[in-house]
Amino acid sequence: MKKFMNGFVKGVYTVLLVSIFAFITYYSISNLVTGNYLSNSKLMIVAIVFYILIILALVLLTKITSKKIFFMIVTGMAILVRIGWLIKVPTAPSSDFQMMHHAAILATQGDLSFLKESYFQSWPYQLGFVYFQALIIKIFGQNVLILQIINILLNCGIAFVGYKIINLHFKEITGRIVYTLLLFYPAYIYMTGVLTNQFLATFLIYLAIYLYLKHDQLWVKATAGVLLALGNMMRPLGILLIIALVCFEITKWLLAPDRENILKSLGRVTTSVLAYFLMLFLVNSALQVTHLSEYPLENRNPTWKFVLGLNDETVGSYSATDLSLMNRYPLGAKRDKMGKEIIKERIQDKPKLVNLMFNKSKKMWTARDDALMWGMADNVKLSLKIKNWLNAVQFLFYIFIVANALLAVFKWRETWTDGYLLKLMIIGYFMVHLLIEIQSRYRFFIVPAFIMLTAIGWVTVYEKIHSRQANDKKTLKEDIVIRSVSYTHLRAHE
C-alpha cells in the first residue's frame, strides 16, 4: 500500500508538471514563429546562435573555480546591463505604479488624502508597497532612480536566494546556473525601471522559502512565516504559499520511508502559519491605530479578479464593461452579490468555461511577455525593429527555461523531497490563473521556480554527456593498453 501511495503521489506531480511545461513549450514556440518578430530564416539563425551562446556561457560557469570571482563577474555584468538599460530606457511611472508612487510622495508629506481614492478603498493591500516606497523617498528623496536601483539590488537578491535554495541539495554549478539565468532573464531586465511591487514581494517570499527548507528549528519556521507575511503585504500571494506549505508537508509525510507522526509534520508548518497571521494582525492593527489605513491590508472587492478572470470576451483580462457594471454598486455586500451573480452566470456553460481556461492559459503563459511594454511606458520611444528583437530574445530565453524545466521533471532526483514545494508552487500558481484575471507580467513571481527546475534539467543533460565522453575516453585508453600489451606479448614470442 505504501509503495502504491508513493508511486501515485509522484505520478500525479509528474503528469501535472509535464502537462504544464509541454503546453507552455509548444505554444510558446508557436507564438514566437507566428509573431512576425523576425523572418523565419532570420529567426532560425538567431535561435541557433542564441542557444549556442547560452550553452557556452553555462559551460564557462563550470570553469570558474573561485566563487568570489564568479559572483563578481556575473553580478557586475548584470548590474552594468541594467544601468545601461536605465540610461537608454528611462522608464517613467505609469498606470497603477504611478498611482502608488504618487501616494508614497504624499505620505512623506503627511498628506493621507489618497486613502479616500477608490483605488485604495477597494484594494488597501496596495498600501504596503506605498509605505515601503514612502520610507525610501523619506530617506533618499524623490528621485525615481533610487527606487529603480533598489529594483536592481532586489533582483540580485532574488538570484542569490534562488542560488541558495537549489544548493541545499544540488551541486555548486546548479546554483550558479540559477543565479546567472535569474540575473539575465530579459523580462526582469525590461522591468528594472518599473516601480513594481513584484521585485520586493518575490524576494521576501523566496527568502521565506529558503529559511523554511534550510532549518527545522521552530524559530526559523516562525521567521519564514513573518517574511511570508511581509511579502504578502507587498503583493497578496501569501495564501497560495500557505496552502502550498501545508500540501508540501503532507506530501513529505506520504513519501517519507519511516512515515513519522503526521502531527510532527504539520507542527512545522503550523509554526510558520501562526507567525504569518500574527504578523499580519500586528501590522494591520498598527496601520489602523495610526490612521495610515482605514482597513486591514486586504482586498475589499473580492469578486473582481474572478469576474475578470471568467470574462470570455477579454479572455480573462481587464474589462472596462465589467468595471462599469460593478461600479453601479458601492463596495460591500451589494457589489459582492453582483460579482457572485456574474461569476455564477459565467460558469454555467461548462464547455465554454473549459475553452476559456485553455485560451487563458495560452495567453498567460505562452503569449508575448508584456514586460517590455511596461518597461518603456509612454515616455520611451524605440523603433519597431528594436522592439521585435527584444521580444524575440525574451521568447527564446523563456523557451529555453521551460524546455529544460520539462527535462528536469523526468530527471528529478527522488531524494530531494524539498523540491516538491517548488512543484506545488508551480502547479498552484498555474491553476489559480485558470480562474482569476491574467496578465503575462504575472509570470514574474513564478519564474525563479521555473529557473531552478531549468538548472536541474540542464545540469542533468550536461553531466550525462560529460559522463559519456569520459567513458568513451576510458574505453579508448583501455583499448590502447590492451593493444599495447598484446603487441608486447607478440614480440616476446617472436
Side-chain angles (χ1 to χ4, degrees):
M1 182 64 184
K2 181 180 174 182
K3 187 176 180 180
F4 168 79
M5 182 58 69
N6 282 8
F8 177 76
V9 171
K10 293 173 183 177
V12 169
Y13 276 95
T14 300
V15 169
L16 288 173
L17 284 167
V18 167
S19 300
I20 289 171
F21 285 122
F23 172 87
I24 296 174
T25 302
Y26 176 79
Y27 283 105
S28 292
I29 293 172
S30 176
N31 285 329
L32 172 60
V33 172
T34 59
N36 295 320
Y37 301 109
L38 301 172
S39 65
N40 287 342
S41 57
K42 187 179 290 186
L43 180 61
M44 182 66 71
I45 295 170
V46 170
I48 292 171
V49 172
F50 183 78
Y51 290 132
I52 288 174
L53 289 175
I54 287 184
I55 291 170
L56 286 175
L58 297 181
V59 170
L60 284 174
L61 295 180
T62 66
K63 308 302 179 183
I64 303 175
T65 56
S66 169
K67 281 188 185 181
K68 186 176 181 180
I69 292 175
F70 161 76
F71 281 113
M72 287 176 62
I73 292 174
V74 176
T75 308
M77 289 176 62
I79 290 174
L80 287 174
V81 167
R82 283 163 173 75
I83 291 174
W85 177 263
L86 290 177
I87 293 171
K88 182 65 179 177
V89 187
T91 310
S94 62
S95 188
D96 292 8
F97 307 123
Q98 182 181 28
M99 194 177 299
M100 288 190 281
H101 182 246
H102 179 66
I105 293 173
L106 291 178
T108 62
Q109 300 167 353
D111 181 357
L112 300 179
S113 59
F114 61 87
L115 292 176
K116 297 298 182 181
E117 295 178 9
S118 61
Y119 182 82
F120 294 109
Q121 288 283 308
S122 297
W123 300 290
Y125 64 78
Q126 301 285 23
L127 292 172
F129 189 63
V130 167
Y131 291 128
F132 168 77
Q133 289 187 101
L135 177 63
I136 301 302
I137 292 169
K138 192 72 174 177
I139 298 172
F140 298 103
Q142 294 185 20
N143 193 330
V144 172
L145 182 62
I146 299 298
L147 291 167
Q148 292 170 333
I149 290 173
I150 288 175
N151 278 351
I152 296 176
L153 297 177
L154 287 170
N155 195 168
C156 292
I158 293 168
F160 186 71
V161 171
Y163 164 89
K164 296 294 287 184
I165 290 174
I166 210 69
N167 274 7
L168 289 175
H169 189 82
F170 291 90
K171 295 178 181 178
E172 169 71 13
I173 182 58
T174 317
R176 291 187 182 189
I177 290 173
V178 170
Y179 187 77
T180 304
L181 292 180
L182 278 170
L183 283 183
F184 289 95
Y185 181 59
Y188 281 9
I189 296 172
Y190 302 162
M191 292 286 283
T192 299
V194 182
L195 303 186
T196 175
N197 51 14
Q198 291 171 289
F199 282 107
L200 180 57
T202 302
F203 171 71
L204 290 171
I205 290 173
Y206 278 95
L207 180 58
I209 291 168
Y210 169 69
L211 291 178
Y212 189 90
L213 296 177
K214 172 70 173 175
H215 299 286
D216 269 341
Q217 294 98 318
L218 292 184
W219 71 269
V220 179
K221 300 293 186 187
T223 303
V226 169
L227 287 170
L228 195 57
L230 292 174
N232 185 75
M233 292 173 203
M234 299 301 116
R235 192 166 184 81
L237 296 167
I239 192 63
L240 177 65
L241 271 296
I242 291 296
I243 294 171
L245 286 175
V246 173
C247 293
F248 167 64
E249 286 295 346
I250 294 173
T251 300
K252 280 183 68 177
W253 177 76
L254 289 172
L255 296 177
D258 54 351
R259 287 278 178 90
E260 64 180 10
N261 192 318
I262 184 64
L263 295 178
K264 185 177 179 181
S265 298
L266 293 179
R268 291 191 288 264
V269 72
T270 301
T271 303
S272 293
V273 172
L274 290 175
Y276 170 83
F277 284 109
L278 178 60
M279 186 64 181
L280 288 181
F281 172 77
L282 292 174
V283 172
N284 284 328
S285 299
L287 290 174
Q288 290 177 272
V289 167
T290 56
H291 304 292
L292 290 174
S293 178
E294 294 182 47
Y295 308 99
L297 302 182
E298 62 184 14
N299 183 358
R300 296 186 62 234
N301 194 5
T303 61
W304 174 241
K305 290 285 185 180
F306 293 94
V307 168
L308 292 180
L310 295 170
N311 188 319
D312 187 64
E313 292 180 2
T314 62
V315 196
S317 299
Y318 173 80
S319 167
T321 303
D322 281 344
L323 179 64
S324 176
L325 188 62
M326 294 288 283
N327 279 346
R328 293 179 186 177
Y329 301 93
L331 286 169
K334 288 186 177 181
R335 183 179 290 195
D336 291 347
K337 183 180 178 181
M338 168 59 73
K340 290 176 183 177
E341 289 175 357
I342 295 173
I343 292 169
K344 187 176 180 179
E345 179 185 343
R346 290 178 177 175
I347 62 174
Q348 290 297 317
D349 189 336
K350 298 302 187 291
K352 186 177 180 181
L353 180 62
V354 171
N355 187 61
L356 170 62
M357 290 180 174
F358 179 78
N359 290 328
K360 277 183 67 180
S361 296
K362 286 203 295 184
K363 186 176 180 180
M364 168 73 183
W365 297 103
T366 73
R368 183 191 66 199
D369 196 309
D370 288 336
L372 183 61
M373 179 197 76
W374 289 106
M376 293 191 303
D378 296 326
N379 66 309
V380 179
K381 304 298 180 185
L382 292 178
S383 69
L384 180 60
K385 184 177 180 180
I386 292 176
K387 290 180 185 178
N388 284 339
W389 273 93
L390 292 173
N391 280 317
V393 168
Q394 162 62 24
F395 255 120
L396 290 169
F397 206 104
Y398 184 62
I399 290 167
F400 176 84
I401 288 171
V402 293
N404 278 280
L406 181 59
L407 289 175
V409 177
F410 290 109
K411 297 295 183 180
W412 193 274
R413 290 188 183 181
E414 296 299 332
T415 54
W416 195 44
T417 53
D418 285 351
Y420 281 93
L421 180 54
L422 297 178
K423 292 183 177 184
L424 277 163
M425 287 168 57
I426 292 169
I427 294 168
Y429 200 70
F430 185 91
M431 287 186 169
V432 77
H433 284 92
L434 295 175
L435 299 174
I436 66 171
E437 178 210 5
I438 60 167
Q439 291 186 44
S440 58
R441 72 178 178 89
Y442 292 167
R443 301 175 199 167
F444 188 107
F445 166 73
I446 207 64
V447 164
F450 279 13
I451 286 179
M452 285 182 227
L453 297 195
T454 298
I456 296 169
W458 195 87
V459 169
T460 300
V461 173
Y462 173 78
E463 288 183 341
K464 190 170 183 178
I465 294 172
H466 189 71
S467 175
R468 183 175 294 177
Q469 289 175 342
N471 287 336
D472 289 344
K473 289 180 180 178
K474 182 180 178 181
T475 302
L476 179 61
K477 186 176 180 180
E478 289 174 349
D479 188 51
I480 292 172
V481 170
I482 291 171
R483 287 174 180 271
S484 177
V485 170
S486 299
Y487 178 75
T488 304
H489 183 72
L490 182 63
R491 289 292 301 271
H493 281 76
E494 288 181 348

